[in-house]
Amino acid sequence: METTAGLRERKKAETRQAIHKATLRLAVERGLDHVTVDDIVEAANISRRTFSNYFGSKEDALLYGEEQRIRSLVRAIRERPAGESGWRALRGAVRDELEGVGEPEREWAVRTSLTRRHPALLARQLANHAALERELVQAISDRDGAGEPAADLRCRIMAAAFLAALRIATHVWIEEQEARPLSQIMEQALDEVARPFR
C-alpha cells in the first residue's frame, strides 16, 4: 500500500513539474500575456481539468519552481543544528541548499526576469515572500528565544534583511548575466547585512 501511495505522489510531482516547465517555456517564447491555460494544457499534454487539479492559474504554474525552493529553504533552516543562532542557521541553510542543488539553473534567472516584468507575477511572488518571512521569523524565534517585544522585533528585522539580501543578490546575478556564481554574490550580500546580527 505504501508503495502505491509513494508512486502516486511521485507521479503528481512529475505532473506538477511538467506543467511548470511547459508554462515557463511558453512564457519565454511568447511572453506571459500571450500564453493561455489552453496553450499550457496542450504543451503539457494534459486535460484542462488536470491543470485545474494542480494550479489555479498560469501564474501559479509559472512560480511553482520558486515555491519549491522556498519550502526547501525553510526545511533546511529548521533542520540546522539546535545550538546555532538564527542568523547562522539562515546562512548555513542557504549555503547547504546551494551546495546540495548546485548553482541555479537558467530557469531561475528566466523566471525572475519574467516576474519583474509582470505585475500579476510580482504580486504573487510578494505574497510568497510574505509567507516565507513569517515562517523565517518563527524559525529564528524558536532558536533565539524570542518572546519579549525587542527580541520579536529583532527576529522580524533579521528575516526581512535576510530575504532582501537574497533578492538583491539574485537581481545582481541576473544583471551581470550570471558572470559570477550566485553563491558568491549571496555570500557577499549576506556579509553586508550580517554585522548587526553577529
Side-chain angles (χ1 to χ4, degrees):
M1 196 69 134
E2 284 184 60
T3 305
T4 304
L7 179 62
R8 191 177 314 120
E9 288 307 309
R10 193 181 75 214
K11 287 284 191 191
K12 284 181 180 179
E14 289 171 357
T15 301
R16 275 190 194 91
Q17 191 64 24
I19 296 169
H20 165 66
K21 294 275 190 191
T23 306
L24 182 62
R25 181 176 51 77
L26 290 171
V28 169
E29 288 173 3
R30 304 178 188 177
L32 186 64
D33 295 333
H34 302 287
V35 176
T36 66
V37 170
D38 288 333
D39 295 331
I40 297 165
V41 161
E42 184 178 334
N45 198 25
I46 57 169
S47 69
R48 191 172 175 100
R49 182 176 177 177
T50 299
F51 179 92
S52 298
N53 287 339
Y54 288 94
F55 297 107
S57 68
K58 64 184 180 183
E59 291 81 9
D60 292 345
L62 187 70
L63 290 175
Y64 172 72
E66 177 179 271
E67 290 171 5
Q68 289 303 101
R69 288 186 82 91
I70 287 171
R71 286 188 189 104
S72 180
L73 179 61
V74 170
R75 207 170 30 250
I77 290 165
R78 293 192 183 282
E79 291 171 356
R80 296 291 301 169
E84 283 185 337
S85 68
W87 187 253
R88 287 190 184 278
L90 293 172
R91 299 239 9 205
V94 167
R95 198 173 296 118
D96 290 350
E97 285 290 292
L98 286 173
E99 286 174 6
V101 297
E103 284 292 310
E105 300 170 359
R106 177 89 184 116
E107 171 190 317
W108 196 17
V110 170
R111 190 175 51 239
T112 302
S113 295
L114 282 169
T115 301
R116 291 170 73 181
R117 292 194 311 264
H118 293 279
L121 287 176
L122 189 56
R124 175 61 193 267
Q125 187 181 56
L126 289 173
N128 288 347
H129 287 189
L132 173 59
E133 187 172 321
R134 286 191 298 273
E135 290 193 49
L136 291 179
V137 168
Q138 185 59 55
I140 297 164
S141 187
D142 291 346
R143 289 176 174 279
D144 291 351
E148 298 176 18
D152 287 342
L153 180 61
R154 184 172 188 276
C155 292
R156 289 180 185 197
I157 290 169
M158 189 185 307
F162 174 76
L163 289 175
L166 296 187
R167 180 178 50 78
I168 291 166
T170 301
H171 290 180
V172 168
W173 178 65
I174 291 167
E175 288 160 10
E176 292 181 354
Q177 299 181 340
E178 306 157 55
R180 291 186 286 160
L182 178 59
S183 55
Q184 179 186 357
I185 302 170
M186 281 188 175
E187 286 290 334
Q188 184 182 355
L190 290 168
D191 284 345
E192 290 299 320
V193 297
R195 290 172 183 82
F197 303 120
R198 287 182 180 155

